[in-house]
Amino acid sequence: MRTRRGMCYSESDLCSEKMRAAAAAAAAKAAAGGVVGVRRRRRVDSIPGGGEDAALLRRKRRRCPPRVGGGGGDDLFDALPDDLVLSVLCRVAGSASSPADLVNVLLTCRRFKSLGLHSMVLSKASSNALAVRAHGWCDSAHRFLKLCADAGNVEASYTLGMIRFYCLQSRGSGASLMAKAAIGSHAPALYSLAVIQFNGSGGSKNDKDLRAGVALCARAAFLGHVDAMRELGHCLQDGYGVRQNVAEGRRFLVQANARELAAVLSSPSAAAAAASLLSTRAWLAWSSPHAQPPQQQQQQQQQNHQQHPLRHAAGTGCPLLSDFGCNVPAPEAHPANRFMAEWFAARGGSAGPGLRLCSHVGCGRPETRKHEFRRCSVCGAVNYCSRACQALDWKLRHKAECTPVERWVDDDVDGDGDGDGGEHDGVAGLNGDVMEES
Amino acid sequence: MSSSPPPSSAAASPSCPKKMIALRSSDGETFEIEEAAALQSKTLENMIDEDCAGTPIPLPNVTGKILAKVVEFCSKHAEPGVDDESLRAWDAEFVNVEQATVFDYILAANFLEIPTLLNLTCNVVADMIRGKTPDEIRKFFNIKSIFSPEEEEEVRRENHWAFE
């Protein structure tokens, strides 16, 4: 049976209890290769209890610094044992809306700092708590993310993996961090690894592994990742890395659109934005209700109502079946993607000589070698890391600006125009949904 | 109580009168709680299973004032047919008390192992913490042990990236 800590501690017991707890926490932290190399001049917390040292601690405690914040109340947290404070801090970390929320806790007092850096708390940090900004990047931020990743936080593993792989160009450790997250069933990590496999990122084009990419995509898709579903759908339709199955591919594309729409409608802020989008756009393709006699009008309205959320500019049948689905507002970018976009924007919009960025702004991925990404076959002006980015960007932005241009033969082609890029070559669908290897 | 029927380990059937468990707080007050409500607490559940629940159970770590509220909480949560919405509203009202009381609830919920109450109260305190600056947190909770100036400087420097 677990020992209970009651509330009836005398003052001196409480002091030494707290000191022991803080010492234990500090010792554990030091043993784990503590992150913050704080050299405390008054080494009150780091002496394990025992004999003369404990007596010394008690004397120091009584000579405490003057009370701040008014002599009235007692320190409420004094009454709570460490495991309950950890419980509270875990919840703070899990619901933090920015790194500042978590760090403010660490800055409050010694006890919060040592408990706040406990692996249990860090493992629960939400993705917002780990949303480092590119302009704030420094060794300390790197250490913090590493600490969280080591504590078992899959979001931290993924975010740090992406940063190391793409921004710091440390391919091996970045990929292994992402793999760690992927093993923890983190859907974005699985998808990112799939993109790396499809493109052979970090290596040559011979390092592409389409079947591995499809397998990773499939796992991410089954976890509900919309981009992965789209990617998988296209792979199935084209027989890319997997045996061709057009019907199955179609199914995945429809499912991706449906899921995307559902996500938008279920989130309150996004739903409001979507509702305003839908109400202001003109009715397209279906006949106007006013021109019809009453019972037909009712039928038409029913039909319209059914198709109301599914409107699509092309107007050819149910838009869920179109590759590019419904007009939903742009999904919110993951902090890792936002970091990459900011990072490369600060470095002149490119990852290096001749290396482009994915033209979908919510993605932020850079090429890791020349001509890694695929180009829009219609205009050739934009390029994408994956079919999913291309599909999303088409619907959000590119459709409006894509115009066919006269293109001369490329002299810097990657060299496998009729290899796996063959089935994409040249044929531009009505919605420009074909990419070719540039 | 010698007049009460021998305790049964199974849950009371609808036709039998509700089985009441007696609890005694640290200051000697006695409270009665229905068995179904008492099962919310793992500690009490263990005692009931081991047939120790015949006499009033002493709870030296919980005062009468807090125990009364805890009994109220458990009874409410054991009520059948309460929808989530109104239960949540009731919970919000329940923790709408001064901070010291919330901390007392946490300790009681921890001692009695009532996961719902522990979750609720810990979340409340987490909400109180989140979004405040360190100074505000210290003032709000009367936290006394602060850093020395050098430590404070060090920690700020280590974590300045979070405020960029």
mmCIF file of all heavy atoms in Angstrom, chain A residues 4, chain B residues 38-49 111-116:
data_model
loop_
_atom_site.group_PDB
_atom_site.id
_atom_site.type_symbol
_atom_site.label_atom_id
_atom_site.label_comp_id
_atom_site.label_asym_id
_atom_site.label_seq_id
_atom_site.Cartn_x
_atom_site.Cartn_y
_atom_site.Cartn_z
ATOM 1 N N ARG A 4 0.860 7.361 2.578
ATOM 2 C CA ARG A 4 0.114 8.589 2.402
ATOM 3 C C ARG A 4 0.852 9.716 3.103
ATOM 4 O O ARG A 4 1.386 9.519 4.160
ATOM 5 C CB ARG A 4 -1.259 8.477 3.047
ATOM 6 C CG ARG A 4 -2.091 7.376 2.516
ATOM 7 C CD ARG A 4 -3.057 7.911 1.463
ATOM 8 N NE ARG A 4 -3.855 6.815 0.966
ATOM 9 C CZ ARG A 4 -3.485 6.041 -0.026
ATOM 10 N NH1 ARG A 4 -2.344 6.240 -0.642
ATOM 11 N NH2 ARG A 4 -4.247 5.057 -0.424
ATOM 12 N N ALA B 38 -19.516 5.779 -2.181
ATOM 13 C CA ALA B 38 -18.216 5.490 -1.559
ATOM 14 C C ALA B 38 -17.305 4.749 -2.528
ATOM 15 O O ALA B 38 -16.082 4.856 -2.450
ATOM 16 C CB ALA B 38 -18.416 4.656 -0.303
ATOM 17 N N LEU B 39 -17.902 4.020 -3.472
ATOM 18 C CA LEU B 39 -17.083 3.268 -4.414
ATOM 19 C C LEU B 39 -16.299 4.173 -5.354
ATOM 20 O O LEU B 39 -15.400 3.731 -6.058
ATOM 21 C CB LEU B 39 -17.959 2.306 -5.220
ATOM 22 C CG LEU B 39 -18.570 1.174 -4.392
ATOM 23 C CD1 LEU B 39 -19.491 0.322 -5.248
ATOM 24 C CD2 LEU B 39 -17.477 0.299 -3.805
ATOM 25 N N GLN B 40 -16.654 5.447 -5.391
ATOM 26 C CA GLN B 40 -15.868 6.402 -6.183
ATOM 27 C C GLN B 40 -14.450 6.498 -5.649
ATOM 28 O O GLN B 40 -13.538 6.866 -6.389
ATOM 29 C CB GLN B 40 -16.474 7.807 -6.057
ATOM 30 C CG GLN B 40 -17.902 7.900 -6.505
ATOM 31 C CD GLN B 40 -17.982 8.466 -7.879
ATOM 32 O OE1 GLN B 40 -17.230 9.349 -8.239
ATOM 33 N NE2 GLN B 40 -18.875 7.955 -8.674
ATOM 34 N N SER B 41 -14.319 6.208 -4.352
ATOM 35 C CA SER B 41 -13.006 6.304 -3.724
ATOM 36 C C SER B 41 -12.386 4.923 -3.668
ATOM 37 O O SER B 41 -12.963 4.003 -3.086
ATOM 38 C CB SER B 41 -13.150 6.868 -2.312
ATOM 39 O OG SER B 41 -12.103 6.409 -1.505
ATOM 40 N N LYS B 42 -11.210 4.791 -4.279
ATOM 41 C CA LYS B 42 -10.589 3.470 -4.299
ATOM 42 C C LYS B 42 -10.222 3.005 -2.900
ATOM 43 O O LYS B 42 -10.285 1.816 -2.591
ATOM 44 C CB LYS B 42 -9.338 3.484 -5.181
ATOM 45 C CG LYS B 42 -9.661 3.707 -6.631
ATOM 46 C CD LYS B 42 -8.608 3.110 -7.528
ATOM 47 C CE LYS B 42 -8.927 3.209 -9.002
ATOM 48 N NZ LYS B 42 -9.486 4.466 -9.466
ATOM 49 N N THR B 43 -9.823 3.957 -2.063
ATOM 50 C CA THR B 43 -9.477 3.600 -0.691
ATOM 51 C C THR B 43 -10.679 2.975 0.006
ATOM 52 O O THR B 43 -10.587 1.907 0.611
ATOM 53 C CB THR B 43 -9.047 4.857 0.080
ATOM 54 O OG1 THR B 43 -8.103 5.562 -0.700
ATOM 55 C CG2 THR B 43 -8.470 4.498 1.419
ATOM 56 N N LEU B 44 -11.816 3.660 -0.110
ATOM 57 C CA LEU B 44 -13.013 3.147 0.543
ATOM 58 C C LEU B 44 -13.472 1.842 -0.106
ATOM 59 O O LEU B 44 -13.964 0.940 0.569
ATOM 60 C CB LEU B 44 -14.138 4.189 0.494
ATOM 61 C CG LEU B 44 -13.862 5.471 1.269
ATOM 62 C CD1 LEU B 44 -15.033 6.432 1.143
ATOM 63 C CD2 LEU B 44 -13.580 5.172 2.718
ATOM 64 N N GLU B 45 -13.287 1.769 -1.413
ATOM 65 C CA GLU B 45 -13.686 0.548 -2.113
ATOM 66 C C GLU B 45 -12.899 -0.643 -1.580
ATOM 67 O O GLU B 45 -13.460 -1.720 -1.347
ATOM 68 C CB GLU B 45 -13.439 0.720 -3.612
ATOM 69 C CG GLU B 45 -14.002 -0.402 -4.448
ATOM 70 C CD GLU B 45 -13.607 -0.252 -5.915
ATOM 71 O OE1 GLU B 45 -13.217 0.867 -6.306
ATOM 72 O OE2 GLU B 45 -13.693 -1.248 -6.629
ATOM 73 N N ASN B 46 -11.598 -0.435 -1.409
ATOM 74 C CA ASN B 46 -10.784 -1.525 -0.856
ATOM 75 C C ASN B 46 -11.273 -1.949 0.513
ATOM 76 O O ASN B 46 -11.339 -3.129 0.837
ATOM 77 C CB ASN B 46 -9.314 -1.090 -0.745
ATOM 78 C CG ASN B 46 -8.671 -0.974 -2.112
ATOM 79 O OD1 ASN B 46 -9.152 -1.556 -3.067
ATOM 80 N ND2 ASN B 46 -7.592 -0.226 -2.192
ATOM 81 N N MET B 47 -11.609 -0.929 1.307
ATOM 82 C CA MET B 47 -12.060 -1.259 2.660
ATOM 83 C C MET B 47 -13.382 -2.002 2.632
ATOM 84 O O MET B 47 -13.597 -2.935 3.403
ATOM 85 C CB MET B 47 -12.226 0.029 3.470
ATOM 86 C CG MET B 47 -10.909 0.662 3.805
ATOM 87 S SD MET B 47 -11.149 1.952 4.989
ATOM 88 C CE MET B 47 -9.472 2.393 5.291
ATOM 89 N N ILE B 48 -14.247 -1.578 1.732
ATOM 90 C CA ILE B 48 -15.546 -2.252 1.646
ATOM 91 C C ILE B 48 -15.338 -3.692 1.200
ATOM 92 O O ILE B 48 -15.942 -4.627 1.734
ATOM 93 C CB ILE B 48 -16.469 -1.506 0.663
ATOM 94 C CG1 ILE B 48 -16.829 -0.139 1.221
ATOM 95 C CG2 ILE B 48 -17.722 -2.305 0.397
ATOM 96 C CD1 ILE B 48 -17.524 0.756 0.226
ATOM 97 N N ASP B 49 -14.460 -3.885 0.223
ATOM 98 C CA ASP B 49 -14.211 -5.238 -0.263
ATOM 99 C C ASP B 49 -13.663 -6.143 0.822
ATOM 100 O O ASP B 49 -13.916 -7.345 0.828
ATOM 101 C CB ASP B 49 -13.199 -5.201 -1.421
ATOM 102 C CG ASP B 49 -13.885 -4.825 -2.722
ATOM 103 O OD1 ASP B 49 -15.123 -4.870 -2.745
ATOM 104 O OD2 ASP B 49 -13.179 -4.493 -3.688
ATOM 105 N N PHE B 111 -5.720 11.295 -0.943
ATOM 106 C CA PHE B 111 -5.745 10.342 0.159
ATOM 107 C C PHE B 111 -6.809 9.282 -0.070
ATOM 108 O O PHE B 111 -6.590 8.098 0.146
ATOM 109 C CB PHE B 111 -6.016 11.102 1.461
ATOM 110 C CG PHE B 111 -6.187 10.224 2.643
ATOM 111 C CD1 PHE B 111 -5.116 9.484 3.142
ATOM 112 C CD2 PHE B 111 -7.404 10.098 3.278
ATOM 113 C CE1 PHE B 111 -5.276 8.661 4.242
ATOM 114 C CE2 PHE B 111 -7.566 9.280 4.377
ATOM 115 C CZ PHE B 111 -6.500 8.559 4.867
ATOM 116 N N LEU B 112 -7.987 9.720 -0.515
ATOM 117 C CA LEU B 112 -9.080 8.782 -0.701
ATOM 118 C C LEU B 112 -9.071 8.119 -2.068
ATOM 119 O O LEU B 112 -9.907 7.291 -2.371
ATOM 120 C CB LEU B 112 -10.428 9.501 -0.501
ATOM 121 C CG LEU B 112 -10.716 9.929 0.925
ATOM 122 C CD1 LEU B 112 -11.911 10.864 0.965
ATOM 123 C CD2 LEU B 112 -10.989 8.709 1.788
ATOM 124 N N GLU B 113 -8.127 8.542 -2.908
ATOM 125 C CA GLU B 113 -7.993 8.009 -4.269
ATOM 126 C C GLU B 113 -9.292 8.124 -5.046
ATOM 127 O O GLU B 113 -9.893 7.127 -5.457
ATOM 128 C CB GLU B 113 -7.538 6.547 -4.228
ATOM 129 C CG GLU B 113 -6.074 6.424 -3.917
ATOM 130 C CD GLU B 113 -5.596 4.993 -4.073
ATOM 131 O OE1 GLU B 113 -5.746 4.220 -3.119
ATOM 132 O OE2 GLU B 113 -5.109 4.661 -5.156
ATOM 133 N N ILE B 114 -9.723 9.360 -5.229
ATOM 134 C CA ILE B 114 -10.917 9.618 -6.037
ATOM 135 C C ILE B 114 -10.432 10.262 -7.331
ATOM 136 O O ILE B 114 -10.204 11.473 -7.379
ATOM 137 C CB ILE B 114 -11.885 10.572 -5.313
ATOM 138 C CG1 ILE B 114 -12.200 10.046 -3.913
ATOM 139 C CG2 ILE B 114 -13.158 10.737 -6.110
ATOM 140 C CD1 ILE B 114 -13.002 11.009 -3.076
ATOM 141 N N PRO B 115 -10.285 9.476 -8.409
ATOM 142 C CA PRO B 115 -9.670 10.025 -9.622
ATOM 143 C C PRO B 115 -10.435 11.202 -10.226
ATOM 144 O O PRO B 115 -9.821 12.163 -10.682
ATOM 145 C CB PRO B 115 -9.634 8.847 -10.588
ATOM 146 C CG PRO B 115 -10.263 7.706 -9.914
ATOM 147 C CD PRO B 115 -10.632 8.064 -8.529
ATOM 148 N N THR B 116 -11.765 11.144 -10.207
ATOM 149 C CA THR B 116 -12.524 12.240 -10.822
ATOM 150 C C THR B 116 -12.263 13.544 -10.094
ATOM 151 O O THR B 116 -12.038 14.588 -10.721
ATOM 152 C CB THR B 116 -14.038 11.951 -10.801
ATOM 153 O OG1 THR B 116 -14.361 11.332 -9.555
ATOM 154 C CG2 THR B 116 -14.429 11.040 -11.933
#
